[in-house]
Amino acid sequence: MLTTLLNSSSSLHESVREEIHNRIKKGMYKPEELIPSAAMLTEEFGVSAITIKRALRDLQAAGVLVSVAGKGTYVKKRQKKVVRKLDVHFPNYEGATIKLIATTREIITDPTLNAFNIPKSAMLCIRKMIFLQGAPFMYDATFISPDIGEDIIEEFGGSFVVNALKQHDIHVIKTDLMIDAAPAVGEVEEEFRIPTGYPMLRRSYKYTTSEPNIIVYGVAQAPFDQLTCSLSILGSPIAEG
């Protein structure tokens, strides 16, 4: 039992959390490998199952661990955080690859896109995952008129939206963006192998193009610990207060 080794100045679950985190940093628990089960940790630390679960939940929320239903809890593989500006469209991330997940026809149901005056009819939805360094980095769902040409549809599945449009001399003339945080749900959990409710940074967008009948809507999502957005503003600093 490790109860005597725990930090007496902290609560039990905080001490357990720190010990597990230290083991991860020292390499005792390696990236993408299972850590001991909650039952095994309960016995090893000599504390209650509730204490262990609180410690593991804290580490999951911090992006250190990932729990997969039916499999167990893994040490999350750490990726270098990507910083990108908000005043650009999807850039060509160096070394990025794109995997098409599905192409369907569906009505937009994401409430965050309602601010963009979305159409009520079904649209073409292209879902894909963007990979960096061989690991999933960003999940993107793009909605566009189903009347668009088959050749452009095919290109959407393998390239960034703006780049695919440019190939057909269609240019974005206005971009509307919303950046928010939201819990992971549905396919996003499965693709990133993250638990339900894991915090995601979301970029909801609307592209008005040089073609009046082609307006693009979409939501791109990345785990909060993989992406940081920056913004440059010209002029004097905004006064506080």
Side-chain angles (χ1 to χ4, degrees):
M1 294 186 183
L2 298 180
T3 306
T4 56
L5 299 180
L6 300 180
N7 188 346
S8 59
S9 65
S10 303
S11 67
L12 272 179
H13 94 274
E14 289 175 333
S15 297
V16 171
R17 180 187 66 207
E18 291 173 8
E19 174 61 24
I20 294 174
H21 198 189
N22 284 335
R23 293 181 181 185
I24 293 170
K25 290 189 286 188
K26 292 176 181 178
M28 293 176 62
Y29 301 153
K30 301 184 184 301
E32 298 190 302
E33 290 186 359
L34 281 170
I35 67 168
S37 68
M40 294 172 65
L41 291 172
T42 296
E43 181 177 354
E44 180 184 0
F45 283 96
V47 297
S48 69
I50 292 176
T51 297
I52 294 296
K53 288 178 181 177
R54 287 187 65 188
L56 296 180
R57 187 171 62 242
D58 285 355
L59 291 170
Q60 290 176 39
V64 177
L65 296 176
V66 174
S67 179
V68 181
K71 295 184 179 180
T73 301
Y74 295 78
V75 178
K76 187 177 181 187
K77 181 180 179 181
R78 304 300 295 175
Q79 283 186 263
K80 183 178 179 181
K81 203 163 190 176
V82 174
V83 179
R84 63 182 280 253
K85 290 186 177 181
L86 290 178
D87 56 349
V88 294
H89 302 127
F90 278 108
N92 286 316
Y93 293 106
E94 185 177 351
T97 57
I98 297 176
K99 170 191 171 185
L100 177 64
I101 297 173
T103 300
T104 60
R105 289 187 183 229
E106 55 189 86
I107 295 174
I108 299 176
T109 58
D110 192 319
T112 60
L113 292 176
N114 287 335
F116 295 149
N117 191 28
I118 56 176
K120 304 300 181 183
S121 57
M123 301 189 74
L124 185 70
C125 177
I126 302 166
R127 301 182 185 276
K128 56 196 175 190
M129 179 65 79
I130 299 164
F131 289 78
L132 280 181
Q133 301 173 353
F137 166 68
M138 182 178 289
Y139 180 93
D140 179 53
T142 300
F143 296 88
I144 194 166
S145 167
D147 299 325
I148 196 167
E150 290 290 335
D151 49 350
I152 303 182
I153 293 173
E154 186 174 340
E155 290 178 24
F156 272 161
S159 63
F160 294 107
V161 175
V162 175
N163 293 343
L165 292 173
K166 281 183 179 178
Q167 294 297 318
H168 297 268
D169 202 28
I170 301 171
H171 303 279
V172 174
I173 59 176
K174 181 184 177 184
T175 300
D176 294 291
L177 295 176
M178 288 191 297
I179 308 296
D180 70 345
V185 295
E187 285 187 346
V188 174
E189 302 170 48
E190 299 174 10
E191 293 294 334
F192 282 107
R193 291 179 60 189
I194 54 178
T196 301
Y198 195 83
M200 306 291 290
L201 183 63
R202 303 197 314 173
R203 174 185 183 275
S204 302
Y205 56 88
K206 173 185 176 182
Y207 295 152
T208 303
T209 75
S210 54
E211 291 290 331
N213 63 327
I214 298 179
I215 299 178
V216 182
Y217 305 87
V219 180
Q221 305 181 62
F224 80 103
D225 54 350
Q226 292 184 190
L227 177 64
T228 295
C229 294
S230 66
L231 178 65
S232 298
I233 301 175
L234 297 176
S236 302
I238 300 174
E240 297 181 358

